[in-house]
Amino acid sequence: MSTVEDFRALHLGRAPGDPLILPGPWDAASARACVAAGFPALATPSAGVSAALGHDDGSTPADEMFAAVARIARAVDVPVSADVEDGYGLAPDELVERLLEAGVVGCNLEDSRAGVLKDPQEQAAYLAEVRAAAGDRLFLNARVDVFLHGDGDPAHAVERAALYVAAGADCVYPILAPADTLPVLRAGIAGPLNALGRLDGTGPSPAELGALGATRITFGPGLWQRADRAVRGIVAELVP
């Protein structure tokens, strides 16, 4: 049975250019396809899961998201981390309980809400409460949204990351950080660093992102978007 220790170990001791690659399945079938391809762990994307459930990203009810994540975790025998957006307004102990009930070993938590960055001190305090409630039972990936909703200053991303790591985050995810900022982020951030990879043939490869300092690569809804385009192409061929 997969454990948080297995998942945490996958992040440690990685050589430059060899980041942990976590595809983003959106349902049980896509999760099984990822495992069959040989991936040792998975990370669900909120946008992909939301689309599969018929919701816009950010509008999926918490109950539906946790149920979907639980189906994914049950379908595979590798560790699964869940993107639970900003925690859905749940108290830290309830959030941890629901994640553990879903069978996941980790989660992403964003530091913005409705397109606005949260106060970093308040977010750090929330992460500290989640860590206290979880103990060592969950791997916490703290998303830093400076490049998404802030001023894009790497120094500000590093400042937020330092607060989150001090609060107990296991990994930091400065989403949409330009590739040329990764060395600066790597130098300023302790512990594993998550970078966003692209599946549309643009931007650096996962290995190149790893060489720039990324410990792990996730793809947001990229996998779902490619699958959606493929399905649209197939059904278009069926139109009389």
Side-chain angles (χ1 to χ4, degrees):
M1 183 176 181
S2 61
T3 68
V4 65
E5 289 82 9
D6 297 330
F7 190 59
R8 188 171 283 114
L10 289 171
H11 293 76
L12 303 178
R14 304 202 71 91
D18 181 34
L20 173 63
I21 299 175
L22 300 175
W26 59 93
D27 62 9
S30 58
R32 287 174 174 151
C34 291
V35 173
F39 290 99
L42 309 174
T44 68
S46 66
V49 174
S50 294
L53 295 174
H55 298 288
D56 292 332
D57 189 26
S59 65
T60 302
D63 287 349
E64 291 190 42
M65 182 63 73
F66 284 112
V69 167
R71 286 192 291 272
I72 291 170
R74 286 197 303 268
V76 296
D77 58 0
V78 302
V80 176
S81 180
D83 181 350
V84 289
E85 303 183 41
D86 69 346
Y88 305 111
L90 299 173
D93 56 348
E94 183 179 359
L95 175 64
V96 168
E97 180 181 356
R98 299 199 67 173
L99 286 164
L100 294 174
E101 286 177 349
V104 301
V105 300
C107 68
N108 276 15
L109 285 169
E110 304 169 3
D111 69 346
S112 65
R113 178 180 293 129
V116 178
L117 284 173
K118 298 180 181 179
D119 178 88
Q121 297 285 350
E122 293 178 2
Q123 178 68 0
Y126 180 71
L127 290 171
E129 292 182 45
V130 173
R131 169 54 69 208
D136 62 359
R137 297 177 295 171
L138 288 173
F139 186 97
L140 302 184
N141 190 31
R143 209 177 85 176
V144 177
D145 287 359
V146 165
F147 299 98
L148 178 62
H149 298 306
D151 61 8
D153 186 339
H156 293 158
V158 169
E159 290 169 2
R160 284 177 173 263
L163 289 171
Y164 303 161
V165 170
D170 296 286
C171 185
V172 176
Y173 180 19
I175 190 171
L176 290 180
D180 61 6
T181 68
L182 288 177
V184 174
L185 297 172
R186 175 68 287 164
I189 295 174
L193 177 65
N194 192 155
L196 179 68
R198 301 186 67 91
L199 292 172
D200 59 3
T202 66
S205 69
E208 289 168 336
L209 291 172
L212 290 169
T215 307
R216 82 179 204 177
I217 311 298
T218 53
F219 302 92
L223 188 61
W224 172 81
Q225 289 168 342
R226 283 196 62 174
D228 181 62
R229 288 194 295 271
V231 170
R232 289 175 184 272
I234 293 169
V235 297
E237 297 175 1
L238 304 179
V239 177

